[in-house]
Amino acid sequence: MRTALLQSSGRPGSVVENLKVLDEAAGRAAAAGAGLLVAPEMFLTGYAIGDDIARLAEPADGESADAIAELAGRHGLAIAYGYPERSGDTVYNSAQLISADGTRLANYRKTHLFGCFERDHFTPGEQPVVQAELGGLTVGLMICYDVEFPENVRAHALAGTDLLLVPTAQMHPFQFVAESMIPVRAFENQLYVAYVNRVGQEGEFEFVGLSALAGPDGVARARAGRGEELAVADVDPVFLAASREANPYLKDRHPGLYGAIVRSPGSP
């Protein structure tokens, strides 16, 4: 499945303008033959927008979800995007996947919040593995900091995820995550990882770009630079199956040895 990575910070604070940016990118992605477009963390509203996060937060089935379903259908491709999700009085940092026919396939709430900014504005989610079937692949969702915990990605691998979508707001000076950690995560778990970042200065944060689609061989099939960009690469299920056969990490595990990794530091 050809996958397009939209590296952009959009227009922070304006849902209307960000929907326009997404619409234009979806047109370019579809023209390039993509069946899936992935946008960054909090793309719908912007990331560093302070109290506007709560003001602009929407339900998973809100007006913006309907608008994205319409443009997904119009362009004939699935879309994954980050947004602030409102559920009653609670706001989550979420990512949603909508199919090419406008069906809401999966909604994920970020489980590991990064820094005081996120902990001040969001409640962490509680479901670590969220998946959907798309184009013959099992697609999983997580958000930014979540992927830096190896247990998270391994849980997806054990659950059968083929392509892990990671809308991201990765900032300076942590670019080594995009450059080094993401290809390793793909290799050690034998899956594809689509890591899609914001870019440029936004409030106090400098987003580093460097979005990538990394394969199970640890090689980036696409790698963006530091500016706004639409990167496109293929996810190949045949190659994935061959790679899993040649690199049997999951088969060679010894789960009985790993109890210590789920205990808090200092506990017996």
Side-chain angles (χ1 to χ4, degrees):
M1 180 170 60
R2 185 155 293 176
T3 301
L5 317 180
L6 173 58
Q7 180 168 285
S8 172
S9 287
R11 307 295 179 265
S14 176
V15 172
V16 170
E17 291 301 315
N18 290 327
L19 288 172
K20 291 179 181 178
V21 173
L22 193 62
D23 194 357
E24 188 272 337
R28 287 191 287 140
L36 170 64
L37 171 66
V38 187
E41 180 177 4
M42 292 285 288
F43 183 78
L44 183 64
T45 60
Y47 181 91
I49 58 174
D51 291 341
D52 280 349
I53 289 173
R55 182 177 65 83
L56 296 175
E58 297 185 23
D61 59 354
E63 291 183 4
S64 293
D66 290 342
I68 293 170
E70 186 279 328
L71 69 89
R74 179 156 39 84
H75 292 292
L77 81 174
I79 297 175
Y81 65 100
Y83 75 108
E85 178 194 354
R86 177 172 292 285
S87 178
D89 293 330
T90 304
V91 177
Y92 299 96
N93 183 338
S94 296
Q96 183 153 230
L97 174 64
I98 295 178
S99 73
D101 67 4
T103 301
R104 294 174 48 246
L105 296 178
N107 189 70
Y108 170 78
R109 295 166 174 173
K110 189 174 186 178
T111 55
H112 294 72
L113 302 179
F114 179 78
C116 295
F117 179 83
E118 291 193 9
R119 289 192 289 269
D120 286 346
H121 289 93
F122 300 108
T123 296
E126 296 181 347
Q127 187 173 354
V129 176
V130 172
Q131 299 169 309
E133 297 302 312
L134 181 68
L137 298 170
T138 299
V139 176
L141 289 168
M142 64 174 54
I143 299 173
C144 197
Y145 194 40
D146 291 326
V147 80
E148 298 178 35
F149 293 81
E151 301 91 338
N152 274 1
V153 187
R154 180 52 54 89
H156 269 275
L158 294 175
T161 294
D162 300 312
L163 169 60
L164 183 60
L165 309 182
V166 190
T168 292
Q170 180 63 65
M171 57 199 69
H172 177 81
F174 306 111
Q175 50 265 32
F176 71 90
V177 173
E179 294 171 333
S180 301
M181 186 182 290
I182 295 307
V184 170
R185 285 286 180 269
F187 179 73
E188 69 189 3
N189 291 288
Q190 288 300 296
L191 42 69
Y192 284 88
V193 179
Y195 186 80
V196 187
N197 201 8
R198 305 180 68 82
V199 65
Q201 195 73 34
E202 188 178 333
E204 63 184 290
F205 306 111
E206 179 189 349
F207 298 113
V208 300
L210 301 174
S211 300
L213 178 66
D217 54 358
V219 175
R221 300 300 191 275
R223 169 73 74 184
R226 296 296 189 98
E228 299 233 345
E229 189 172 340
L230 185 72
V232 180
D234 291 327
V235 173
D236 183 351
V238 175
F239 180 83
L240 178 58
S243 182
R244 285 172 169 171
E245 185 64 28
N247 299 279
Y249 280 136
L250 302 185
K251 295 178 185 176
D252 290 346
R253 295 167 63 250
H254 292 282
L257 301 177
Y258 309 148
I261 69 171
V262 300
R263 292 197 290 267
S264 299
S267 64

